[in-house]
Structure formats: structure tokens, C-alpha cells
Amino acid sequence: MPNVRDRPYPGMNFLVDLGTGDDGPGGGVAVVVFPDARLQLNEYRSGNDKTSESMKLSTLTHYDDLVLRRGVTGSLSWYQWWNEARNGGDARRDISVTLLDEQGNAVLRWRFLRARPAAYRTLPMDAAVAETLFETLEIAFDRFEME
């Protein structure tokens, strides 16, 4: 699926599937904040090494949470998924974010495996400001892949 080209893709055309198979506009995701991914490196040196430099060994992989934001439309789907996790249910899902080109064709996909809600919040309401009311879902996951 990756399609390499000379100019970067705009980041405004995308689909999000929260593991339900529905990645259409009904999901209403307006913002996707991708997580940082880091390798933990431990330094190691054998006592009989002839040099004093240590080697760096990769040990654990750490991921920040994936953050999704959408306008409040009255849908309870995010809250219900978070509530399932809060109440001890097996709320794990494989979810995906698909980047689209200007014609709506899929060009790149990020897959987040064994994902589950970690936090849910709604932004404050303010009667003095006429802005869209947003809800945010933070999603923890075990691994991510790109295709």
C-alpha cells in the first residue's frame, strides 16, 4: 500500500477504524496525535574488553498513547468502549489509522495492536466562546505496525 511520491501527503484526509470495521465518516475523528515510540537502550561492557567504550543493547520498546479527538455528536461509542475497559472487560481491539491521498485512495496505514482505552475526557464548555465541543480518547496499545 505505501505509495512513495515527490511531495508529502497532506495530513487532513484519513480514516480511523476503532476495531469495529467502521472506518467511515461516522467515526468523526478530527485529530489524530501519533505516539512517540522509543527503544530503551542499556549500556553494557565486558570486564575484559580492550576499550573503555560500552555497547548499547536494545531492551524494551516504549510507546506513548495514541490520542484521538472528535467533535461531540451525541454518540456514546467512545465512552462505552472506555467504560468496558474501566469495568474490567476485555476491551482490547486492533485499530487502524489510514492516510488517504487527494483522490481518497489509501496510501499508508498505521495498525495499533491490542489497543484499549487509557483515558477519556471532554473539553470544558464555555458559554462565552462559540467553539466546537471536543471529546478525547487516549488509547494504550502493545505494538504498532505500518503498512
Side-chain angles (χ1 to χ4, degrees), residues 9-18 29-38 62-69 95-100 107-112 136-141 143-147:
Y9 291 100
M12 59 189 239
N13 298 317
F14 56 89
L15 299 172
V16 178
D17 177 359
L18 292 178
V29 176
V31 177
V32 175
V33 180
F34 287 105
D36 287 343
R38 294 177 299 284
H62 297 276
Y63 302 109
D64 290 342
D65 291 344
L66 172 68
V67 178
L68 304 179
R69 191 166 293 128
I95 65 176
S96 64
V97 177
T98 305
L99 177 66
L100 307 175
V107 294
L108 194 57
R109 179 172 292 124
W110 292 262
R111 295 181 55 233
F112 299 90
T136 301
L137 186 63
E138 289 186 29
I139 300 171
F141 56 92
R143 181 179 180 83
F144 91 92
E145 298 173 349
M146 293 176 66
E147 53 187 37

mmCIF file of all heavy atoms in Angstrom, residues 9-18 29-38 62-69 95-100 107-112 136-141 143-147:
data_model
loop_
_atom_site.group_PDB
_atom_site.id
_atom_site.type_symbol
_atom_site.label_atom_id
_atom_site.label_comp_id
_atom_site.label_asym_id
_atom_site.label_seq_id
_atom_site.Cartn_x
_atom_site.Cartn_y
_atom_site.Cartn_z
ATOM 1 N N TYR A 9 2.269 13.988 1.538
ATOM 2 C CA TYR A 9 0.803 13.935 1.587
ATOM 3 C C TYR A 9 0.285 14.911 2.628
ATOM 4 O O TYR A 9 0.904 15.086 3.679
ATOM 5 C CB TYR A 9 0.331 12.528 1.968
ATOM 6 C CG TYR A 9 0.585 11.493 0.918
ATOM 7 C CD1 TYR A 9 1.668 10.630 1.023
ATOM 8 C CD2 TYR A 9 -0.247 11.368 -0.179
ATOM 9 C CE1 TYR A 9 1.913 9.668 0.057
ATOM 10 C CE2 TYR A 9 -0.006 10.408 -1.153
ATOM 11 C CZ TYR A 9 1.077 9.569 -1.025
ATOM 12 O OH TYR A 9 1.315 8.625 -1.986
ATOM 13 N N PRO A 10 -0.847 15.535 2.364
ATOM 14 C CA PRO A 10 -1.455 16.365 3.415
ATOM 15 C C PRO A 10 -2.021 15.456 4.507
ATOM 16 O O PRO A 10 -2.474 14.347 4.230
ATOM 17 C CB PRO A 10 -2.560 17.126 2.677
ATOM 18 C CG PRO A 10 -2.854 16.307 1.459
ATOM 19 C CD PRO A 10 -1.601 15.569 1.117
ATOM 20 N N GLY A 11 -1.978 15.918 5.732
ATOM 21 C CA GLY A 11 -2.430 15.101 6.855
ATOM 22 C C GLY A 11 -3.886 15.307 7.214
ATOM 23 O O GLY A 11 -4.287 15.024 8.337
ATOM 24 N N MET A 12 -4.698 15.772 6.274
ATOM 25 C CA MET A 12 -6.092 16.071 6.607
ATOM 26 C C MET A 12 -7.086 15.050 6.087
ATOM 27 O O MET A 12 -8.257 15.119 6.418
ATOM 28 C CB MET A 12 -6.474 17.449 6.076
ATOM 29 C CG MET A 12 -6.320 17.593 4.580
ATOM 30 S SD MET A 12 -6.521 19.280 4.069
ATOM 31 C CE MET A 12 -7.883 19.119 2.954
ATOM 32 N N ASN A 13 -6.638 14.072 5.301
ATOM 33 C CA ASN A 13 -7.533 13.052 4.760
ATOM 34 C C ASN A 13 -7.158 11.707 5.350
ATOM 35 O O ASN A 13 -6.122 11.134 5.014
ATOM 36 C CB ASN A 13 -7.429 12.992 3.232
ATOM 37 C CG ASN A 13 -7.837 14.292 2.577
ATOM 38 O OD1 ASN A 13 -8.820 14.902 2.968
ATOM 39 N ND2 ASN A 13 -7.071 14.722 1.595
ATOM 40 N N PHE A 14 -8.001 11.195 6.238
ATOM 41 C CA PHE A 14 -7.687 9.943 6.895
ATOM 42 C C PHE A 14 -8.966 9.274 7.395
ATOM 43 O O PHE A 14 -10.016 9.914 7.513
ATOM 44 C CB PHE A 14 -6.720 10.155 8.067
ATOM 45 C CG PHE A 14 -7.213 11.140 9.083
ATOM 46 C CD1 PHE A 14 -7.988 10.722 10.157
ATOM 47 C CD2 PHE A 14 -6.899 12.479 8.985
ATOM 48 C CE1 PHE A 14 -8.447 11.628 11.107
ATOM 49 C CE2 PHE A 14 -7.343 13.399 9.920
ATOM 50 C CZ PHE A 14 -8.124 12.965 10.989
ATOM 51 N N LEU A 15 -8.835 7.986 7.658
ATOM 52 C CA LEU A 15 -9.925 7.194 8.230
ATOM 53 C C LEU A 15 -9.408 6.513 9.491
ATOM 54 O O LEU A 15 -8.248 6.099 9.543
ATOM 55 C CB LEU A 15 -10.403 6.122 7.246
ATOM 56 C CG LEU A 15 -10.976 6.619 5.914
ATOM 57 C CD1 LEU A 15 -11.220 5.440 4.983
ATOM 58 C CD2 LEU A 15 -12.249 7.401 6.150
ATOM 59 N N VAL A 16 -10.272 6.378 10.480
ATOM 60 C CA VAL A 16 -9.920 5.699 11.717
ATOM 61 C C VAL A 16 -10.912 4.569 11.944
ATOM 62 O O VAL A 16 -12.125 4.808 11.937
ATOM 63 C CB VAL A 16 -9.933 6.673 12.917
ATOM 64 C CG1 VAL A 16 -9.620 5.929 14.213
ATOM 65 C CG2 VAL A 16 -8.947 7.810 12.694
ATOM 66 N N ASP A 17 -10.405 3.360 12.111
ATOM 67 C CA ASP A 17 -11.235 2.191 12.432
ATOM 68 C C ASP A 17 -10.862 1.753 13.840
ATOM 69 O O ASP A 17 -9.742 1.326 14.084
ATOM 70 C CB ASP A 17 -10.992 1.061 11.429
ATOM 71 C CG ASP A 17 -11.775 -0.202 11.749
ATOM 72 O OD1 ASP A 17 -12.511 -0.228 12.760
ATOM 73 O OD2 ASP A 17 -11.638 -1.178 10.991
ATOM 74 N N LEU A 18 -11.801 1.875 14.768
ATOM 75 C CA LEU A 18 -11.542 1.511 16.160
ATOM 76 C C LEU A 18 -11.798 0.034 16.427
ATOM 77 O O LEU A 18 -12.224 -0.350 17.510
ATOM 78 C CB LEU A 18 -12.386 2.374 17.097
ATOM 79 C CG LEU A 18 -11.993 3.840 17.135
ATOM 80 C CD1 LEU A 18 -12.907 4.629 18.055
ATOM 81 C CD2 LEU A 18 -10.555 3.999 17.562
ATOM 82 N N VAL A 29 -13.538 11.415 13.645
ATOM 83 C CA VAL A 29 -12.258 11.811 14.235
ATOM 84 C C VAL A 29 -11.724 13.027 13.497
ATOM 85 O O VAL A 29 -11.615 13.032 12.273
ATOM 86 C CB VAL A 29 -11.240 10.648 14.198
ATOM 87 C CG1 VAL A 29 -9.894 11.090 14.726
ATOM 88 C CG2 VAL A 29 -11.766 9.467 14.993
ATOM 89 N N ALA A 30 -11.401 14.065 14.257
ATOM 90 C CA ALA A 30 -10.890 15.306 13.673
ATOM 91 C C ALA A 30 -9.386 15.434 13.825
ATOM 92 O O ALA A 30 -8.726 16.049 12.995
ATOM 93 C CB ALA A 30 -11.574 16.512 14.327
ATOM 94 N N VAL A 31 -8.832 14.843 14.894
ATOM 95 C CA VAL A 31 -7.402 14.967 15.176
ATOM 96 C C VAL A 31 -6.870 13.609 15.616
ATOM 97 O O VAL A 31 -7.477 12.940 16.455
ATOM 98 C CB VAL A 31 -7.138 16.003 16.300
ATOM 99 C CG1 VAL A 31 -5.659 16.073 16.635
ATOM 100 C CG2 VAL A 31 -7.673 17.363 15.924
ATOM 101 N N VAL A 32 -5.732 13.219 15.038
ATOM 102 C CA VAL A 32 -5.002 12.023 15.457
ATOM 103 C C VAL A 32 -3.617 12.489 15.894
ATOM 104 O O VAL A 32 -2.907 13.119 15.113
ATOM 105 C CB VAL A 32 -4.868 11.001 14.316
ATOM 106 C CG1 VAL A 32 -3.999 9.830 14.739
ATOM 107 C CG2 VAL A 32 -6.230 10.527 13.832
ATOM 108 N N VAL A 33 -3.249 12.202 17.146
ATOM 109 C CA VAL A 33 -1.910 12.509 17.635
ATOM 110 C C VAL A 33 -1.184 11.179 17.788
ATOM 111 O O VAL A 33 -1.522 10.376 18.662
ATOM 112 C CB VAL A 33 -1.947 13.261 18.976
ATOM 113 C CG1 VAL A 33 -0.529 13.571 19.449
ATOM 114 C CG2 VAL A 33 -2.771 14.536 18.855
ATOM 115 N N PHE A 34 -0.218 10.939 16.891
ATOM 116 C CA PHE A 34 0.514 9.681 16.916
ATOM 117 C C PHE A 34 1.439 9.632 18.126
ATOM 118 O O PHE A 34 1.982 10.654 18.551
ATOM 119 C CB PHE A 34 1.321 9.499 15.633
ATOM 120 C CG PHE A 34 0.464 9.171 14.446
ATOM 121 C CD1 PHE A 34 0.200 10.123 13.476
ATOM 122 C CD2 PHE A 34 -0.098 7.915 14.308
ATOM 123 C CE1 PHE A 34 -0.585 9.828 12.374
ATOM 124 C CE2 PHE A 34 -0.887 7.599 13.220
ATOM 125 C CZ PHE A 34 -1.136 8.561 12.249
ATOM 126 N N PRO A 35 1.656 8.441 18.653
ATOM 127 C CA PRO A 35 2.510 8.295 19.833
ATOM 128 C C PRO A 35 3.986 8.325 19.475
ATOM 129 O O PRO A 35 4.381 7.995 18.358
ATOM 130 C CB PRO A 35 2.124 6.912 20.364
ATOM 131 C CG PRO A 35 1.700 6.164 19.143
ATOM 132 C CD PRO A 35 1.037 7.181 18.253
ATOM 133 N N ASP A 36 4.797 8.714 20.438
ATOM 134 C CA ASP A 36 6.231 8.541 20.315
ATOM 135 C C ASP A 36 6.541 7.075 20.562
ATOM 136 O O ASP A 36 5.907 6.430 21.407
ATOM 137 C CB ASP A 36 6.982 9.382 21.353
ATOM 138 C CG ASP A 36 6.956 10.866 21.041
ATOM 139 O OD1 ASP A 36 6.647 11.226 19.886
ATOM 140 O OD2 ASP A 36 7.240 11.660 21.948
ATOM 141 N N ALA A 37 7.498 6.540 19.841
ATOM 142 C CA ALA A 37 7.955 5.164 20.035
ATOM 143 C C ALA A 37 9.457 5.226 20.294
ATOM 144 O O ALA A 37 10.200 5.843 19.529
ATOM 145 C CB ALA A 37 7.652 4.318 18.802
ATOM 146 N N ARG A 38 9.878 4.604 21.383
ATOM 147 C CA ARG A 38 11.282 4.666 21.774
ATOM 148 C C ARG A 38 11.797 3.284 22.157
ATOM 149 O O ARG A 38 11.054 2.474 22.705
ATOM 150 C CB ARG A 38 11.452 5.587 22.985
ATOM 151 C CG ARG A 38 11.154 7.037 22.718
ATOM 152 C CD ARG A 38 11.288 7.868 23.985
ATOM 153 N NE ARG A 38 10.370 7.476 25.041
ATOM 154 C CZ ARG A 38 9.073 7.772 25.068
ATOM 155 N NH1 ARG A 38 8.532 8.446 24.086
ATOM 156 N NH2 ARG A 38 8.309 7.403 26.067
ATOM 157 N N HIS A 62 9.073 1.271 24.195
ATOM 158 C CA HIS A 62 8.072 2.059 24.920
ATOM 159 C C HIS A 62 7.252 2.878 23.927
ATOM 160 O O HIS A 62 7.815 3.460 23.000
ATOM 161 C CB HIS A 62 8.751 3.019 25.906
ATOM 162 C CG HIS A 62 9.520 2.330 26.982
ATOM 163 N ND1 HIS A 62 8.928 1.863 28.128
ATOM 164 C CD2 HIS A 62 10.832 2.023 27.078
ATOM 165 C CE1 HIS A 62 9.844 1.297 28.890
ATOM 166 N NE2 HIS A 62 11.008 1.386 28.265
ATOM 167 N N TYR A 63 5.949 2.910 24.134
ATOM 168 C CA TYR A 63 5.046 3.701 23.299
ATOM 169 C C TYR A 63 4.242 4.647 24.180
ATOM 170 O O TYR A 63 3.721 4.236 25.213
ATOM 171 C CB TYR A 63 4.049 2.804 22.561
ATOM 172 C CG TYR A 63 4.660 1.760 21.671
ATOM 173 C CD1 TYR A 63 4.606 0.415 22.002
ATOM 174 C CD2 TYR A 63 5.288 2.114 20.478
ATOM 175 C CE1 TYR A 63 5.155 -0.549 21.183
ATOM 176 C CE2 TYR A 63 5.839 1.146 19.654
ATOM 177 C CZ TYR A 63 5.768 -0.178 20.014
ATOM 178 O OH TYR A 63 6.317 -1.134 19.199
ATOM 179 N N ASP A 64 4.122 5.898 23.754
ATOM 180 C CA ASP A 64 3.149 6.787 24.374
ATOM 181 C C ASP A 64 1.772 6.391 23.850
ATOM 182 O O ASP A 64 1.650 5.568 22.938
ATOM 183 C CB ASP A 64 3.443 8.248 24.019
ATOM 184 C CG ASP A 64 4.720 8.763 24.685
ATOM 185 O OD1 ASP A 64 5.171 8.139 25.665
ATOM 186 O OD2 ASP A 64 5.245 9.771 24.207
ATOM 187 N N ASP A 65 0.729 6.990 24.402
ATOM 188 C CA ASP A 65 -0.635 6.674 23.960
ATOM 189 C C ASP A 65 -0.958 7.349 22.631
ATOM 190 O O ASP A 65 -0.480 8.445 22.339
ATOM 191 C CB ASP A 65 -1.659 7.139 25.002
ATOM 192 C CG ASP A 65 -1.587 6.321 26.283
ATOM 193 O OD1 ASP A 65 -0.979 5.236 26.271
ATOM 194 O OD2 ASP A 65 -2.158 6.782 27.288
ATOM 195 N N LEU A 66 -1.798 6.688 21.851
ATOM 196 C CA LEU A 66 -2.410 7.275 20.668
ATOM 197 C C LEU A 66 -3.545 8.155 21.170
ATOM 198 O O LEU A 66 -4.317 7.747 22.048
ATOM 199 C CB LEU A 66 -2.959 6.162 19.771
ATOM 200 C CG LEU A 66 -3.810 6.567 18.577
ATOM 201 C CD1 LEU A 66 -2.957 7.288 17.544
ATOM 202 C CD2 LEU A 66 -4.467 5.340 17.964
ATOM 203 N N VAL A 67 -3.661 9.374 20.642
ATOM 204 C CA VAL A 67 -4.697 10.300 21.090
ATOM 205 C C VAL A 67 -5.610 10.633 19.916
ATOM 206 O O VAL A 67 -5.138 11.053 18.854
ATOM 207 C CB VAL A 67 -4.080 11.598 21.674
ATOM 208 C CG1 VAL A 67 -5.168 12.569 22.101
ATOM 209 C CG2 VAL A 67 -3.147 11.266 22.832
ATOM 210 N N LEU A 68 -6.910 10.425 20.118
ATOM 211 C CA LEU A 68 -7.920 10.754 19.110
ATOM 212 C C LEU A 68 -8.835 11.830 19.671
ATOM 213 O O LEU A 68 -9.179 11.818 20.848
ATOM 214 C CB LEU A 68 -8.746 9.517 18.746
ATOM 215 C CG LEU A 68 -7.986 8.291 18.267
ATOM 216 C CD1 LEU A 68 -8.959 7.154 17.986
ATOM 217 C CD2 LEU A 68 -7.164 8.609 17.035
ATOM 218 N N ARG A 69 -9.246 12.744 18.798
ATOM 219 C CA ARG A 69 -10.145 13.815 19.215
ATOM 220 C C ARG A 69 -11.239 13.953 18.157
ATOM 221 O O ARG A 69 -10.960 13.918 16.959
ATOM 222 C CB ARG A 69 -9.359 15.109 19.359
ATOM 223 C CG ARG A 69 -10.116 16.223 20.044
ATOM 224 C CD ARG A 69 -9.198 17.363 20.457
ATOM 225 N NE ARG A 69 -8.305 16.887 21.510
ATOM 226 C CZ ARG A 69 -6.976 17.006 21.486
ATOM 227 N NH1 ARG A 69 -6.384 17.593 20.486
ATOM 228 N NH2 ARG A 69 -6.239 16.551 22.469
ATOM 229 N N ILE A 95 -6.785 -1.573 16.093
ATOM 230 C CA ILE A 95 -7.348 -0.397 15.434
ATOM 231 C C ILE A 95 -6.377 0.093 14.367
ATOM 232 O O ILE A 95 -5.196 -0.255 14.375
ATOM 233 C CB ILE A 95 -7.696 0.717 16.444
ATOM 234 C CG1 ILE A 95 -6.454 1.254 17.114
ATOM 235 C CG2 ILE A 95 -8.657 0.204 17.503
ATOM 236 C CD1 ILE A 95 -6.741 2.412 18.045
ATOM 237 N N SER A 96 -6.892 0.901 13.446
ATOM 238 C CA SER A 96 -6.030 1.393 12.369
ATOM 239 C C SER A 96 -6.370 2.835 12.016
ATOM 240 O O SER A 96 -7.513 3.281 12.164
ATOM 241 C CB SER A 96 -6.157 0.510 11.127
ATOM 242 O OG SER A 96 -7.454 0.577 10.604
ATOM 243 N N VAL A 97 -5.343 3.530 11.555
ATOM 244 C CA VAL A 97 -5.475 4.885 11.015
ATOM 245 C C VAL A 97 -4.926 4.813 9.603
ATOM 246 O O VAL A 97 -3.782 4.397 9.392
ATOM 247 C CB VAL A 97 -4.689 5.910 11.853
ATOM 248 C CG1 VAL A 97 -4.789 7.298 11.227
ATOM 249 C CG2 VAL A 97 -5.171 5.921 13.298
ATOM 250 N N THR A 98 -5.737 5.191 8.620
ATOM 251 C CA THR A 98 -5.352 5.095 7.217
ATOM 252 C C THR A 98 -5.249 6.481 6.613
ATOM 253 O O THR A 98 -6.213 7.255 6.650
ATOM 254 C CB THR A 98 -6.377 4.262 6.424
ATOM 255 O OG1 THR A 98 -6.520 2.986 7.051
ATOM 256 C CG2 THR A 98 -5.940 4.077 4.986
ATOM 257 N N LEU A 99 -4.093 6.803 6.063
ATOM 258 C CA LEU A 99 -3.879 8.063 5.354
ATOM 259 C C LEU A 99 -4.396 7.909 3.932
ATOM 260 O O LEU A 99 -4.137 6.897 3.272
ATOM 261 C CB LEU A 99 -2.393 8.411 5.332
ATOM 262 C CG LEU A 99 -2.007 9.677 4.565
ATOM 263 C CD1 LEU A 99 -2.570 10.922 5.244
ATOM 264 C CD2 LEU A 99 -0.486 9.760 4.445
ATOM 265 N N LEU A 100 -5.116 8.919 3.447
ATOM 266 C CA LEU A 100 -5.667 8.915 2.091
ATOM 267 C C LEU A 100 -4.998 9.997 1.259
ATOM 268 O O LEU A 100 -4.625 11.053 1.772
ATOM 269 C CB LEU A 100 -7.179 9.171 2.133
ATOM 270 C CG LEU A 100 -8.012 8.267 3.034
ATOM 271 C CD1 LEU A 100 -9.459 8.730 3.065
ATOM 272 C CD2 LEU A 100 -7.913 6.820 2.590
ATOM 273 N N VAL A 107 -3.062 5.234 1.156
ATOM 274 C CA VAL A 107 -1.652 5.249 0.794
ATOM 275 C C VAL A 107 -0.749 4.734 1.910
ATOM 276 O O VAL A 107 0.370 4.312 1.644
ATOM 277 C CB VAL A 107 -1.180 6.653 0.351
ATOM 278 C CG1 VAL A 107 -1.854 7.056 -0.935
ATOM 279 C CG2 VAL A 107 -1.411 7.680 1.428
ATOM 280 N N LEU A 108 -1.205 4.770 3.152
ATOM 281 C CA LEU A 108 -0.393 4.325 4.276
ATOM 282 C C LEU A 108 -1.324 4.001 5.438
ATOM 283 O O LEU A 108 -2.329 4.689 5.640
ATOM 284 C CB LEU A 108 0.585 5.431 4.675
ATOM 285 C CG LEU A 108 1.741 5.106 5.585
ATOM 286 C CD1 LEU A 108 2.619 3.996 5.004
ATOM 287 C CD2 LEU A 108 2.581 6.342 5.825
ATOM 288 N N ARG A 109 -0.984 2.941 6.187
ATOM 289 C CA ARG A 109 -1.840 2.543 7.314
ATOM 290 C C ARG A 109 -0.977 2.269 8.540
ATOM 291 O O ARG A 109 0.050 1.610 8.451
ATOM 292 C CB ARG A 109 -2.659 1.307 6.968
ATOM 293 C CG ARG A 109 -3.555 0.834 8.115
ATOM 294 C CD ARG A 109 -4.505 -0.280 7.711
ATOM 295 N NE ARG A 109 -5.476 0.265 6.775
ATOM 296 C CZ ARG A 109 -5.692 -0.217 5.547
ATOM 297 N NH1 ARG A 109 -5.042 -1.266 5.107
ATOM 298 N NH2 ARG A 109 -6.585 0.344 4.755
ATOM 299 N N TRP A 110 -1.418 2.806 9.676
ATOM 300 C CA TRP A 110 -0.824 2.510 10.966
ATOM 301 C C TRP A 110 -1.781 1.581 11.697
ATOM 302 O O TRP A 110 -2.959 1.889 11.835
ATOM 303 C CB TRP A 110 -0.639 3.780 11.798
ATOM 304 C CG TRP A 110 0.375 4.728 11.270
ATOM 305 C CD1 TRP A 110 1.669 4.851 11.681
ATOM 306 C CD2 TRP A 110 0.180 5.731 10.258
ATOM 307 N NE1 TRP A 110 2.289 5.857 10.979
ATOM 308 C CE2 TRP A 110 1.389 6.417 10.098
ATOM 309 C CE3 TRP A 110 -0.908 6.116 9.468
ATOM 310 C CZ2 TRP A 110 1.559 7.451 9.203
ATOM 311 C CZ3 TRP A 110 -0.748 7.140 8.571
ATOM 312 C CH2 TRP A 110 0.473 7.799 8.446
ATOM 313 N N ARG A 111 -1.277 0.445 12.171
ATOM 314 C CA ARG A 111 -2.106 -0.509 12.914
ATOM 315 C C ARG A 111 -1.612 -0.558 14.348
ATOM 316 O O ARG A 111 -0.409 -0.717 14.591
ATOM 317 C CB ARG A 111 -2.032 -1.897 12.272
ATOM 318 C CG ARG A 111 -2.648 -1.907 10.875
ATOM 319 C CD ARG A 111 -2.602 -3.274 10.213
ATOM 320 N NE ARG A 111 -3.217 -4.288 11.049
ATOM 321 C CZ ARG A 111 -2.615 -5.429 11.408
ATOM 322 N NH1 ARG A 111 -1.402 -5.712 11.010
ATOM 323 N NH2 ARG A 111 -3.250 -6.297 12.161
ATOM 324 N N PHE A 112 -2.532 -0.417 15.283
ATOM 325 C CA PHE A 112 -2.219 -0.447 16.703
ATOM 326 C C PHE A 112 -2.846 -1.715 17.277
ATOM 327 O O PHE A 112 -4.069 -1.855 17.290
ATOM 328 C CB PHE A 112 -2.738 0.814 17.387
ATOM 329 C CG PHE A 112 -2.113 2.053 16.817
ATOM 330 C CD1 PHE A 112 -2.695 2.720 15.739
ATOM 331 C CD2 PHE A 112 -0.911 2.534 17.322
ATOM 332 C CE1 PHE A 112 -2.103 3.846 15.190
ATOM 333 C CE2 PHE A 112 -0.317 3.656 16.774
ATOM 334 C CZ PHE A 112 -0.909 4.319 15.711
ATOM 335 N N THR A 136 -11.983 13.539 23.838
ATOM 336 C CA THR A 136 -10.672 12.970 23.571
ATOM 337 C C THR A 136 -10.609 11.562 24.141
ATOM 338 O O THR A 136 -11.065 11.319 25.251
ATOM 339 C CB THR A 136 -9.566 13.843 24.208
ATOM 340 O OG1 THR A 136 -9.655 15.164 23.674
ATOM 341 C CG2 THR A 136 -8.186 13.273 23.941
ATOM 342 N N LEU A 137 -10.030 10.651 23.354
ATOM 343 C CA LEU A 137 -9.822 9.281 23.786
ATOM 344 C C LEU A 137 -8.341 8.967 23.653
ATOM 345 O O LEU A 137 -7.773 9.096 22.567
ATOM 346 C CB LEU A 137 -10.643 8.317 22.924
ATOM 347 C CG LEU A 137 -10.656 6.856 23.325
ATOM 348 C CD1 LEU A 137 -11.292 6.664 24.704
ATOM 349 C CD2 LEU A 137 -11.416 6.034 22.288
ATOM 350 N N GLU A 138 -7.704 8.617 24.779
ATOM 351 C CA GLU A 138 -6.318 8.179 24.751
ATOM 352 C C GLU A 138 -6.316 6.664 24.736
ATOM 353 O O GLU A 138 -7.030 6.034 25.518
ATOM 354 C CB GLU A 138 -5.554 8.698 25.968
ATOM 355 C CG GLU A 138 -5.306 10.178 25.923
ATOM 356 C CD GLU A 138 -4.433 10.643 27.067
ATOM 357 O OE1 GLU A 138 -3.584 9.852 27.563
ATOM 358 O OE2 GLU A 138 -4.605 11.795 27.481
ATOM 359 N N ILE A 139 -5.507 6.099 23.854
ATOM 360 C CA ILE A 139 -5.526 4.665 23.630
ATOM 361 C C ILE A 139 -4.127 4.096 23.856
ATOM 362 O O ILE A 139 -3.169 4.505 23.191
ATOM 363 C CB ILE A 139 -6.017 4.355 22.205
ATOM 364 C CG1 ILE A 139 -7.429 4.915 22.030
ATOM 365 C CG2 ILE A 139 -5.953 2.872 21.922
ATOM 366 C CD1 ILE A 139 -7.931 4.870 20.607
ATOM 367 N N ALA A 140 -4.032 3.142 24.784
ATOM 368 C CA ALA A 140 -2.794 2.405 25.010
ATOM 369 C C ALA A 140 -2.810 1.175 24.104
ATOM 370 O O ALA A 140 -3.872 0.677 23.743
ATOM 371 C CB ALA A 140 -2.693 1.988 26.475
ATOM 372 N N PHE A 141 -1.647 0.687 23.742
ATOM 373 C CA PHE A 141 -1.561 -0.468 22.847
ATOM 374 C C PHE A 141 -0.252 -1.187 23.114
ATOM 375 O O PHE A 141 0.666 -0.647 23.739
ATOM 376 C CB PHE A 141 -1.666 -0.032 21.378
ATOM 377 C CG PHE A 141 -0.649 0.994 20.989
ATOM 378 C CD1 PHE A 141 0.565 0.609 20.447
ATOM 379 C CD2 PHE A 141 -0.885 2.346 21.199
ATOM 380 C CE1 PHE A 141 1.531 1.547 20.115
ATOM 381 C CE2 PHE A 141 0.074 3.290 20.877
ATOM 382 C CZ PHE A 141 1.283 2.893 20.332
ATOM 383 N N ARG A 143 1.636 -2.821 20.565
ATOM 384 C CA ARG A 143 2.573 -2.777 19.443
ATOM 385 C C ARG A 143 1.928 -2.000 18.287
ATOM 386 O O ARG A 143 0.719 -1.993 18.168
ATOM 387 C CB ARG A 143 2.879 -4.201 18.997
ATOM 388 C CG ARG A 143 3.859 -4.330 17.861
ATOM 389 C CD ARG A 143 4.093 -5.812 17.519
ATOM 390 N NE ARG A 143 5.034 -5.949 16.436
ATOM 391 C CZ ARG A 143 6.350 -5.931 16.567
ATOM 392 N NH1 ARG A 143 6.897 -5.794 17.752
ATOM 393 N NH2 ARG A 143 7.139 -6.049 15.523
ATOM 394 N N PHE A 144 2.746 -1.356 17.463
ATOM 395 C CA PHE A 144 2.202 -0.763 16.246
ATOM 396 C C PHE A 144 2.998 -1.213 15.038
ATOM 397 O O PHE A 144 4.174 -1.550 15.136
ATOM 398 C CB PHE A 144 2.086 0.765 16.344
ATOM 399 C CG PHE A 144 3.292 1.525 15.865
ATOM 400 C CD1 PHE A 144 3.374 1.946 14.544
ATOM 401 C CD2 PHE A 144 4.319 1.850 16.717
ATOM 402 C CE1 PHE A 144 4.477 2.653 14.098
ATOM 403 C CE2 PHE A 144 5.423 2.554 16.289
ATOM 404 C CZ PHE A 144 5.502 2.954 14.969
ATOM 405 N N GLU A 145 2.321 -1.236 13.902
ATOM 406 C CA GLU A 145 2.928 -1.616 12.624
ATOM 407 C C GLU A 145 2.468 -0.635 11.562
ATOM 408 O O GLU A 145 1.402 -0.038 11.687
ATOM 409 C CB GLU A 145 2.504 -3.041 12.231
ATOM 410 C CG GLU A 145 2.940 -4.090 13.215
ATOM 411 C CD GLU A 145 2.388 -5.466 12.914
ATOM 412 O OE1 GLU A 145 1.495 -5.584 12.047
ATOM 413 O OE2 GLU A 145 2.852 -6.424 13.564
ATOM 414 N N MET A 146 3.270 -0.501 10.532
ATOM 415 C CA MET A 146 2.895 0.347 9.388
ATOM 416 C C MET A 146 2.889 -0.507 8.141
ATOM 417 O O MET A 146 3.724 -1.392 7.971
ATOM 418 C CB MET A 146 3.873 1.500 9.231
ATOM 419 C CG MET A 146 3.824 2.502 10.355
ATOM 420 S SD MET A 146 5.068 3.801 10.222
ATOM 421 C CE MET A 146 4.512 4.653 8.755
ATOM 422 N N GLU A 147 1.935 -0.236 7.275
ATOM 423 C CA GLU A 147 1.865 -0.967 6.004
ATOM 424 C C GLU A 147 1.427 -0.027 4.916
ATOM 425 O O GLU A 147 0.828 0.986 5.119
ATOM 426 C CB GLU A 147 0.931 -2.157 6.100
ATOM 427 C CG GLU A 147 -0.440 -1.818 6.599
ATOM 428 C CD GLU A 147 -1.295 -3.041 6.857
ATOM 429 O OE1 GLU A 147 -0.781 -4.054 7.316
ATOM 430 O OE2 GLU A 147 -2.506 -2.948 6.589
#
